[in-house]
Amino acid sequence: MLFYLLDIDDSAEGIILFGVTEEGKREKFVDSSYRPCFLVLPSNKEKAIEEIEKIIKDNSLPVTEITEETKIFYGEEKNFIKIYTKRHQDLQKVRDAIKVLEAKRGGSGSIIDEFEYQTSAYRMYLAEKGLSCLSWLDIEIRGNQVKSIKKANRASPKLKILAFDMEVLEVKRGNPSIVMISIFGEGLSKVITYQEAKYSINTIVVKDEKELIKNFIETIKDYDPDIIVGYNTDLYDMPILRERAKQLKVDIGILSRDNSGITLSKRARFTTARLIGRVHIDIFNFVFNILSPMLQSEQLTLKNVSQELLGDTKLDMEYEDILQAWDKGHEIDKLAKYCLKDSELVYELTKMLLPDIEELTRITGQSLFDTSRMPYSQLVEWYYIKKAKQQNRVIPNQPKFDEIKQRQQTTYEGGFVKEPEVGLHKGIAVVDFASLYPSIIATYNISIDTLNCSCCKDNGYKIPDFPYWFCKNRKGFESQAVEELLIKRLELKKQLKKLDPDSHEYLLLDTKQRALKTIINASYGYYAYPASRWYSKECAQAITALGRYWIKEVLKKASEKGFHAIYADTDSAFLRVNSKEAVEEFIKEINQNLPGLMRLDLEDFYVKGLFVPRQIGGVAKKRYALLDEKGRLKIRGLEVVRRDLCKFARATQQEILKICLIEEDIPKAFKYLDERVKALRQGNYDLKDLVVYEQLSKPVSEYKLISPHVVAAKRLLEKGIPVGEGSVIGYIIQKGSGSISERAYPIELADPSKIDIDYYIENQVLPTAMRILKVFENKGTLF
């Protein structure tokens, strides 16, 4: 039968597969074929087996079988001992018992190290089988047991997605309560609450909070979604829902398809909330981990993110407004609309972003739940693990804490930077290498197992300024893995050029190439990531050295052509040129001499560009604004160069930038700044424009350095307003004694008559405006 794998888990029975049949039925099956095992690298195989068997016997360890197997270990074939255990959780126990044989631990030295004992069962199952969630499988079933399984090709089924949002208030001091839940999906849009009012939207009014949660659970049961989505629900909504249900004695088991309810677990610094069999996606995780470098906003609130990505945003209601609406029983309909709008925005964001997450799930070969929460490093890691299993390679161990700390102390030279020439320039061509570092990895065969190989000492790929070379005779593991993705993406981009951009096929292929790009561009950083399984300072150094060599070559060739380099950074160069045609010819000549998969592109041609200085001497990297031929502005590093910037300061800077770059009326720009400062002094501003927003990345009690948003959060807690990890704190600075942090008040508790206007002028408006105007300071008046 055909079965679309939606989610996966492990149990005493085996690996549990949740999904959709060809007929559209939601089913779960058990695969008992998975056998937990780990690998031991011996220095003396016979002696190691003898000593291991004695330890197992003496300690009555739950080992079912010991075999021998040849595997590839960093490019070389090695003989390994394979130890099978009764249960997956026994792996660590058995490994801990036999590691005493290592010489470094004072043992006989018959074994060198152990591998593949740390990964969860279902993750290893997927890697070993070469499967992934969100794929069709051809499975043979007997009862509910899987007898055989293989991949199948078919278009993805339509999955049922449901978004939700909760409003939580501290109705009784120290006891946060859920007062409203909104739900939004295809054919379903409603709010559940327990306060009567004249509602203009579909609203179910129940008796109390207990009945509210029950109604929500019943809705989930009836709608039976495959995916439940929210925004910051891992850290906020799910833990609160779980705790309130427990206190009110409401069974929420049905939220999961195995009736386990909400399973909370800690991953690094963050909590995750899992609904087994029914996938919970916190869309904030994907925005934070993957999208944030590409977004203009640094405050990744639902309001900001939906505004930027959807062109839509939350309804305007502050926490104090919500509290008053609930307490006084007025504007409850407005609150219901506010709550429902949040669910609608989450649903629309999910529709936009889910295709990318689904493609990343297939590339990494893991579950949708896990992939949606992976940062760049884990996406690369799981892609490598999948490839390692396909090639019979050993997966390297995660580094220990001390090793990570040691790696964190290691530094090396990064990309080449030619500091920009401050001022206004005209006729700028920006050229850049397509995926510079990944293409270097593929072209120069950069891998741990090809580094300084014995066969290519005199004729390998030599690295400028380093005693490194890479093999020319056999392809390295990481190099091959990255090259595969690069070639796939190039093929997809060729196909895209032949398709109508509005066609369904175009959208599908574009999603695939974006997902490939995400992992491709993270491959270099993974070498330098301290917690990487495939960490290599030498490989990272080699890549950046070659990157520096090639960008310098481009600058040298550009100079020979009569182009003037205004600025260069890592993989791109900003050239003042005579014509676009001359640049295109220049790029063509460069590409004829580039090796392998390396390629130089014309990013765009710009009519004008403004490059600004640092605050204190020198100039700044990636702080510029460009105006293209269609009159569009491309801005980097100017509007949000500091985290503690209010909207008033950012808007001032943006307007000054437009006046200077587009109108080239510098006196007007100075006059505008003067007007903005006067407006502040005269009180002509909206208080909300002075609010600074920052997010709490951990519980308030865990902060050692007390910054303004932490002080503001503490003041909220003192007033009984619930905030915690993940909460976005909006604050203003008031007059008074003490540091800026000590004078930070949450907007909910701010006193408009005590706003420290001098702080905003001296620390927010003037510094940001003068980053631009300093270029023209001899043409206006400085404050």
Side-chain angles (χ1 to χ4, degrees), residues 503-519:
S503 68
H504 180 64
E505 188 181 359
Y506 184 96
L507 294 175
L508 286 176
L509 295 186
D510 193 40
T511 299
K512 288 178 186 290
Q513 73 85 15
R514 279 200 312 271
L516 291 170
K517 181 182 179 181
T518 297
I519 296 179

Side-chain angles (χ1 to χ4, degrees), residues 696-743:
L696 294 170
S697 60
K698 53 189 173 183
V700 174
S701 58
E702 292 183 15
Y703 278 92
K704 292 178 182 176
L705 293 174
I706 305 301
S707 54
H709 73 299
V710 176
V711 172
K714 285 184 174 181
R715 288 192 161 111
L716 286 171
L717 289 171
E718 288 168 3
K719 290 290 184 180
I721 300 174
V723 294
E725 184 179 10
S727 296
V728 176
I729 308 299
Y731 66 88
I732 56 94
I733 305 300
Q734 295 189 176
K735 295 174 184 175
S737 58
S739 66
I740 290 171
S741 291
E742 291 169 328
R743 294 187 282 118

Side-chain angles (χ1 to χ4, degrees), residues 66 251 338 543 759:
I66 299 176
D251 182 5
Y338 170 87
I543 295 164
Y759 161 79

Side-chain angles (χ1 to χ4, degrees), residues 642 644-645 740 758-768:
R642 285 165 46 183
D644 55 345
L645 276 182
I740 290 171
D758 288 337
Y759 161 79
Y760 284 95
I761 292 171
E762 300 298 331
N763 295 276
Q764 297 250 342
V765 177
L766 288 181
T768 54

Side-chain angles (χ1 to χ4, degrees), residues 321-341:
D321 301 330
I322 295 170
L323 196 60
Q324 285 185 15
W326 186 260
D327 286 346
K328 296 178 181 178
H330 72 280
E331 293 194 318
I332 298 293
D333 182 52
K334 182 180 178 182
L335 177 57
K337 288 178 180 176
Y338 170 87
C339 185
L340 184 61
K341 184 65 177 180

